[in-house]
Amino acid sequence: MIVTTKELFKHAYGKYALGAYNINNAEQTMGLFRGCIESKAPFIIQISKGARNYTNKIMLEGMIRAADEIFPEAIFAVHLDHGDEQTCYDCIDSGFYSSVMIDASSLPFEENVATTKRVVDAAHAKGIAVEAELGQLGGVEEDIAVDEAGAKLTDPKQAAEFIAKTGVDSLACAIGTSHGAFKFSGTQGLHFEVIEEIAKLCPGFPLVMHGSSSVPQDEVARINAAGGKLAGAKGVDANEYLPAAKRGVTKINIDTDGRLVWTRVHREFFRDKPEVFDFRPMGKEFMAEYAKFIGSRNELLGSAGQLEAVRAFLGK
Ligand code: G3H
Ligand code: 13P
Ligand code: ZN
């Protein structure tokens, strides 16, 4: 059942975080739904611009509708990840999305405010929620590359001003993470003091953590042992998800880790079974492994086991 992101946030705030997982294809979709049903967790499906263009946005929507039918007990929201203004309008008009993210974080503050406000006005007119971003994460997104030194943590006072001026429903904050598999060159961790300060200025307001993959070291080692080249890959400490959630981080974005599961399964498969040329055996293995991975993340986020409580909360 597709529900609004806002309702999910209301139930989760201060208690647990919703896993926001990116999907691109049928195998990821199946693994995601299985993992969330097995761990009894509500969740958010994220669709990036790249994912919409990978096969076709209609294909992606069709897969989600199909999964909704296959798993009628699932409770989830559908969210546009890192949208530009035009893609936000396209998603708002489609009537399919629960929420959109307008990412104007690379613009100066006032332009970010103005762009976000335009999207908020269009989205709210149709009952759709909006996530925006303030500050700059390190790493690589679709069109934007920001190096570690160039990343800029969110200024809490500016965050409060931004929220008041735009009417946005949730805010992605730069708190030390970055996108991709190479997040930290040293021992940097999450800036809890930034989260705490924003939550103090904006009590009850849902915060979002991007770049949250934990880049499991056993996964990296297996990929490298099977011919991969990911030396030095490093992620967020997954034991920090729940402490972040208790402080107001309500949505935690995880994409890279799923790609690592895919890479490990396929590299090992090709290494160990060179005679196989059928994509189904490895696809099946990936779906099972991805479901297992999703379940393990939901446990760490605290969303595992919340499904029935959310259903009761929504009165569905
Ligand atoms: O933050 C970006 C997400 O990991 C999505 O990646 O734009 O390559 O689909 P993508
Ligand atoms: P990771 O690259 O850490 O998985 O972050 C994903 C993300 O922030 C999607 O918006
Ligand atoms: Zn992101």
Side-chain angles (χ1 to χ4, degrees):
M1 181 200 322
I2 300 178
V3 300
T4 70
T5 318
K6 247 182 141 160
E7 289 173 300
L8 291 183
F9 284 167
K10 225 183 272 172
H11 187 260
Y13 188 88
K15 300 195 294 264
Y16 63 91
L18 290 140
Y21 302 104
N22 293 68
I23 62 156
N24 295 268
N25 63 15
E27 289 80 2
Q28 265 185 320
T29 309
M30 287 300 284
L32 173 58
F33 275 78
R34 274 187 203 161
C36 287
I37 291 304
E38 280 161 18
S39 60
K40 298 187 178 5
F43 61 105
I44 298 174
I45 295 182
Q46 303 212 112
I47 300 176
S48 71
K49 217 169 103 183
R52 281 162 60 85
N53 296 331
Y54 171 53
T55 49
N56 186 294
K57 62 185 181 186
I58 299 169
M59 177 71 82
L60 215 48
E61 290 180 16
M63 285 189 306
I64 295 169
R65 285 199 179 93
D68 193 22
E69 205 176 316
I70 298 166
F71 301 94
E73 63 275 55
I75 296 180
F76 61 99
V78 180
H79 176 79
L80 169 69
D81 190 27
H82 292 288
D84 54 35
E85 196 171 352
Q86 208 42 55
T87 310
C88 283
Y89 295 144
D90 194 52
C91 293
I92 291 165
D93 290 342
S94 80
F96 183 67
Y97 289 72
S98 315
S99 50
V100 295
M101 175 189 188
I102 172 67
D103 184 354
S105 59
S106 60
L107 299 177
F109 181 77
E110 289 303 341
E111 282 177 54
N112 188 355
V113 167
T115 308
T116 300
K117 178 81 174 68
R118 283 195 297 274
V119 173
V120 166
D121 289 344
H124 284 184
K126 297 205 168 175
I128 294 166
V130 179
E131 173 184 325
E133 181 169 325
L134 186 65
Q136 282 201 291
L137 278 75
V140 181
E141 283 163 28
E142 227 150 40
D143 311 318
I144 312 160
V146 183
D147 64 19
E148 209 174 339
K152 210 161 83 32
L153 297 185
T154 303
D155 174 334
K157 283 204 188 79
Q158 231 181 29
E161 184 186 343
F162 185 88
I163 292 164
K165 281 186 164 167
T166 59
V168 75
D169 303 283
S170 60
L171 187 68
C173 303
I175 52 175
T177 65
S178 60
H179 291 100
F182 297 87
K183 298 195 190 298
F184 305 112
S185 55
T187 52
Q188 304 92 318
L190 301 187
H191 286 264
F192 282 116
E193 78 285 0
V194 175
I195 305 173
E196 283 167 2
E197 195 55 31
I198 298 172
K200 203 159 81 188
L201 295 172
C202 311
F205 187 83
L207 305 176
V208 179
M209 184 161 89
H210 283 246
S212 314
S213 279
S214 64
V215 189
Q217 290 304 296
D218 56 332
E219 207 71 276
V220 172
R222 285 174 72 175
I223 290 170
N224 289 342
K229 287 202 171 118
L230 293 179
K234 195 171 174 190
V236 169
D237 178 352
N239 292 311
E240 293 194 319
Y241 292 163
L242 205 49
K246 304 271 185 209
R247 289 167 168 82
V249 173
T250 316
K251 172 171 175 275
I252 292 195
N253 291 10
I254 299 174
D255 182 20
T256 294
D257 281 348
R259 299 180 187 206
L260 294 176
V261 175
W262 183 92
T263 304
R264 183 254 301 164
V265 165
H266 289 81
R267 278 201 175 278
E268 289 186 347
F269 206 98
F270 287 125
R271 180 195 61 191
D272 300 339
K273 298 181 179 142
E275 71 288 359
V276 174
F277 59 95
D278 182 355
F279 53 78
R280 284 181 303 222
M282 54 197 101
K284 276 188 170 178
E285 192 171 327
F286 169 69
M287 286 188 270
E289 288 295 296
Y290 192 48
K292 209 159 76 184
F293 165 76
I294 292 288
S296 74
R297 298 301 103 169
N298 290 340
E299 293 291 341
L300 290 160
L301 296 166
S303 63
Q306 294 287 346
L307 191 60
E308 293 318 314
V310 170
R311 199 184 310 284
F313 178 75
L314 300 174
K316 308 267 181 181

